Amino acid sequence: MSTPSIQNNLLIGIWKLISATAIYADGTVTPEVYGTHPVGYITYTSDDHMMVMFSRSDRSPLSQEVRSPLTPQMQSLPVEELAQAFTTFNAYAGTYTLSGNTVTHQIKIASIPNRVGTTLVRTFTLNESRLTLVTPPVLSDGVEAVFELLWERIIAR
């Protein structure tokens, strides 16, 4: 893998999530795997750092006002509410490398603790101001699927 050079790294910038689609091995497609209007951003910097966060747009609010997840109010919420909030939001950050049309994210912090210290490989295609990231096949509910996330550039370099 190689470190991207600023001159030819077309990923640098901030991208807004447009859609998230699951494509199953049997050809079945779920076009709104993260809801009808998922919300999210992915950022690639010129110094090889990246961060991404996205969520369903139809997330339910918590039943109590919580100003910080580090407060006792968060611990007093029903487990079901916490689970719902956790499973409708995803975030991670770290560094990245490019090799051809593959970007590899080296995870330093993540909403899913087990991802810390791992790498996530994505193939990508660029079409004008649109970036498509595709995961390798993974098991989803016992069925193999790839996930395709479509992003639109909002800030370049």
Side-chain angles (χ1 to χ4, degrees), residues 6 9-15 44-46 96 153 155-157:
I6 294 172
N9 183 354
L10 299 175
L11 294 184
I12 295 172
I14 301 174
W15 306 79
Y44 290 101
T45 69
S46 60
Y96 72 100
R153 186 186 300 275
I155 296 179
R157 301 174 190 257

Side-chain angles (χ1 to χ4, degrees), residues 2-3 58 60 78 87 92 99 105 132 145:
S2 63
T3 299
D58 59 354
S60 298
T87 60
Y92 64 85
S99 180
H105 301 157
T132 303

Side-chain angles (χ1 to χ4, degrees), residues 40-53:
Y41 296 92
I42 190 166
T43 301
Y44 290 101
T45 69
S46 60
D47 65 351
D48 307 336
H49 286 84
M50 62 78 55
M51 65 180 110
V52 62
M53 65 178 78

Side-chain angles (χ1 to χ4, degrees), residues 74-93:
M74 190 66 131
Q75 300 301 318
S76 69
L77 290 171
V79 172
E80 296 78 17
E81 273 188 54
L82 294 173
Q84 196 274 339
F86 179 79
T87 60
T88 57
F89 181 81
N90 186 30
Y92 64 85

Side-chain angles (χ1 to χ4, degrees), residues 3 11-13 31 37 43 51 54 58 64 67 72 76 80 84 86 94 111 117 122 127 129 132 136 138-139 149 151:
T3 299
L11 294 184
I12 295 172
H37 301 287
T43 301
M51 65 180 110
F54 58 93
D58 59 354
Q64 298 178 40
R67 298 206 180 263
S76 69
E80 296 78 17
Q84 196 274 339
F86 179 79
S111 58
R122 307 289 185 249
N127 185 359
S129 66
T132 303
V138 296
L139 281 180
L149 284 80
W151 305 87

Side-chain angles (χ1 to χ4, degrees), residues 6-66:
I6 294 172
Q7 292 80 17
N8 62 9
N9 183 354
L10 299 175
L11 294 184
I12 295 172
I14 301 174
W15 306 79
K16 180 179 178 183
L17 185 61
I18 303 301
S19 65
T21 303
I23 304 164
Y24 297 93
D26 66 2
T28 305
V29 175
T30 303
E32 298 173 346
V33 71
Y34 227 61
T36 55
H37 301 287
V39 178
Y41 296 92
I42 190 166
T43 301
Y44 290 101
T45 69
S46 60
D47 65 351
D48 307 336
H49 286 84
M50 62 78 55
M51 65 180 110
V52 62
M53 65 178 78
F54 58 93
S55 74
R56 294 183 60 96
S57 62
D58 59 354
R59 297 175 83 206
S60 298
L62 300 174
S63 60
Q64 298 178 40
E65 181 66 28
V66 177

